[in-house]
Amino acid sequence: MFNTHYRLERHSIRFVLAVMVVASIGGLVEIAPLFTIDETVEAAPDMRVYTPLELAGRNIYIREGCYACHSQMIRTLRDDVERYGPYSLAVESKYDHPMLWGSKRTGPDLARLGGKYSDEWHVAHLIAPRDLVPESVMPNYGWLMRSELDTQDLGLHLRAMRKVGVPYSDAMIENATADAIGQASPDKDAAEGVAERYGEATTIRSFDGDPRRVTEMDALVAYLQILGRLTDAAHVQSGAGRMEAGE
Amino acid sequence: MVAGLTKGERQLALLISIAVAFIGLAMAGAGQGGAFGVHGFIVMAFGIGTIFVVISGYFLPEPGDERLAQYYDDPIKFGIVVSMVWAVFGMFIGDWVAWLLAYPEMTFDAGWASFGRLRPVHTTAVIFGFVGNALIATSFQVVQRTSRARLPDQLSPWFVLIGYNLFCVIAVSGYFMGLTQSKEYAEPEWYADLWLVVVWVVYFLLYLRTLMRRREPHIYVANWYYLAFILVVAILHIVNNLAVPISFGHAKSYSAFSGVQDAMTQWWYGHNAVAFFLTAGFLAMLYYYLPKRAGRPIYSYRMSIVGFWGITFFYMWVGSHHLHYTALPLWVQNLGMTFSLMLLVPSWIAAANALLTLNGAWHKVRTDATLRFMMVAAVF
């Protein structure tokens, strides 16, 4: 073995190829099957896509680096499940390009945040976190309230998302900007199209409390309120688990 | 700097600088005042800056052929100085974000100063700015001396170092403006990633050309590690950064992968980018500078071989240990955990090989601070 190496290390190209082959095996074995084994991602036929407003909010979440302190992945551990709800399923982040599972929790996990608090709570909390949670070390995001949301390019965003595999329809892409404004402006005509394209269950309201304009606060709160609610697959599964256990 | 370049290299440097300046101009135009446009202006300023540097030295006398009998060390000095600048900056930001955890109000009511935007500034400045520059610079020094060959040309090392720092500047300035892919240690957006691929290919070719000119029959172990660093980082970077930009005039892109596949790809990258920068790269340094400083040969040739291939093979499996108890299938988690334990073997072999090299030179460790730092580094 060492004699073989003694010869190998005299040829630079052969050595380069050997490194590439040896280093590639781990990734090939661990990653490639995740695309081909069906059980990797559960089926969730009822799952809907993010509305343009929620997607814009998600991009603000990414832009501000919220993932640096908040995970979106409830682990299969009892203390996680008791605090946050049913553990996360792979399918729940099927439309997340990229995923935001996070890597540390300076703040709490947010995978099931949607619907847990009111819009007013979120807005007040984002403006001054310590008013509501005295021990929090989260930065103040009051300036989101002053920033008009850029809705101009949302069609391009949806188109790119479709290219990577998210099933946005042509109508969704064409109406992306109008739908973003409509979802945060319940009194405008544009609001009807949102329910038509994304389902009657879609929340349509002024998330930041000011229906006259669409701010980045609107988008971010709309996103926080949909977290964990694109599909109820996790709740169905945990309910079935409880029934099997005879509870 | 320019004095060491031949006439042809000066012309090529000028052409590249002009091309970079025009790319910057195009980006600035397409960005229409947004963050992408600001990056356009930064790229353009870089291009114009290097144009001035090249022109200012353009008519200096050409270097004579006697240079070919010496190693080419000018870019190494530049790389080390830049590395130190990044170290000071990156660690200052690290200290700053630490204070933010005690005084979270210290954000001036603005986005750029918040913890979420500053954290990647710290990690990128330290890992890529400080460590990356140090690795590139030392690799130039080590490969020349262990191959007894001069770098094949004078322009490539400058292109690699300056181009790499342009990448770092684009990355870090982008975070302040909120440009990020959100993938840890792979935050820069698609255009910065593409530029890094160009720089990295030139770096790889430069390294390989130097090795091919070597006047030693064998490739020394330090160069194995530098090669693994260059090759593996290239593989990881290209796969993990596959993304679709929303247009060629916007900074934003969407990752090609989603959910569980994206998570696994990200931590395969995230763990091994760290591994092949901070472990393989530094072992490369160790295998040259430690025996050199101690005045002793490496303890064991066989341990070098087992350690190197063990690290190269096992490390690439362990990324999934970042995803324990998540929605990642259990079989991948188990593989990651098992290989993480097995990785102890080659890691300790490499460390033991370094410490045993000091046998016969321990009296130097007592008096030589540099050597003592190396000894402590090997232990860790």
Side-chain angles (χ1 to χ4, degrees), chain A:
Chain A
M1 170 188 156
F2 294 108
N3 285 335
T4 318
H5 200 276
Y6 191 79
R7 285 193 295 276
L8 174 72
E9 69 190 42
R10 297 163 73 130
H11 301 278
S12 40
I13 299 285
R14 267 185 241 174
F15 198 89
V16 164
L17 292 175
V19 169
M20 290 181 77
V21 169
V22 168
S24 301
I25 296 170
L28 285 173
V29 173
E30 290 189 344
I31 299 176
L34 298 179
F35 290 93
T36 55
I37 299 176
D38 286 341
E39 293 107 81
T40 303
V41 181
E42 306 81 0
D46 65 329
M47 186 160 171
R48 84 153 163 84
V49 295
Y50 292 110
T51 66
L53 187 68
E54 291 154 8
L55 186 66
R58 190 170 196 274
N59 288 336
I60 293 167
Y61 183 100
I62 290 173
R63 185 186 75 192
E64 300 310 328
C66 305
Y67 60 86
C69 294
H70 294 284
S71 58
Q72 291 186 21
M73 174 48 61
I74 301 167
R75 295 171 297 185
T76 55
L77 299 173
R78 181 165 181 171
D79 52 352
D80 255 30
V81 172
E82 284 186 355
R83 177 168 179 188
Y84 301 116
Y87 60 79
S88 299
L89 300 183
V91 67
E92 292 180 278
S93 45
K94 183 169 75 165
Y95 296 145
D96 287 8
H97 294 264
M99 56 83 211
L100 294 172
W101 293 9
S103 64
K104 81 181 202 318
R105 287 178 182 163
T106 304
D109 186 275
L110 302 181
R112 307 226 177 278
L113 184 66
K116 195 171 175 184
Y117 302 96
S118 66
D119 294 345
E120 292 76 17
W121 187 92
H122 278 299
V123 172
H125 179 253
L126 283 161
I127 291 173
R130 274 156 298 283
D131 286 359
L132 294 151
V133 185
E135 69 275 22
S136 169
V137 293
M138 189 169 113
N140 298 343
Y141 288 103
W143 51 275
L144 291 177
M145 203 68 186
R146 302 192 297 270
S147 316
E148 202 87 27
L149 181 70
D150 180 10
T151 54
Q152 211 61 49
D153 304 322
L154 280 170
L156 291 174
H157 286 257
L158 264 54
R159 197 182 298 276
M161 282 283 266
R162 182 158 78 177
K163 277 190 199 145
V164 292
V166 182
Y168 283 108
S169 67
D170 290 336
M172 287 170 171
I173 292 173
E174 270 162 43
N175 295 291
T177 301
D179 285 351
I181 297 166
Q183 194 182 352
S185 320
D187 304 332
K188 286 190 185 156
D189 298 339
E192 282 172 32
V194 181
E196 191 184 308
R197 279 182 281 277
Y198 295 90
E200 289 299 328
T202 310
T203 313
I204 296 168
R205 61 182 180 232
S206 171
F207 294 89
D208 69 354
D210 180 358
R212 285 164 304 174
R213 46 197 215 117
V214 182
T215 61
E216 294 193 332
M217 186 68 88
D218 272 309
L220 184 57
V221 174
Y223 172 61
L224 295 177
Q225 293 290 29
I226 198 66
L227 281 172
R229 297 173 77 190
L230 292 178
T231 167
D232 59 1
H235 295 273
V236 171
Q237 175 166 320
S238 83
R242 270 201 294 277
M243 272 190 287
E244 273 170 35
E247 285 179 33

Side-chain angles (χ1 to χ4, degrees), chain B residues 26 42 47 62 79 105 226 269 275 290 311 315 323 337 342 373:
Chain B
I42 292 176
E62 277 196 88
E105 307 278 338
Y226 278 123
Y269 167 90
L290 180 95
I311 284 176
Y315 234 128
L323 299 167
M337 187 64 246
M342 298 198 305
F373 268 114

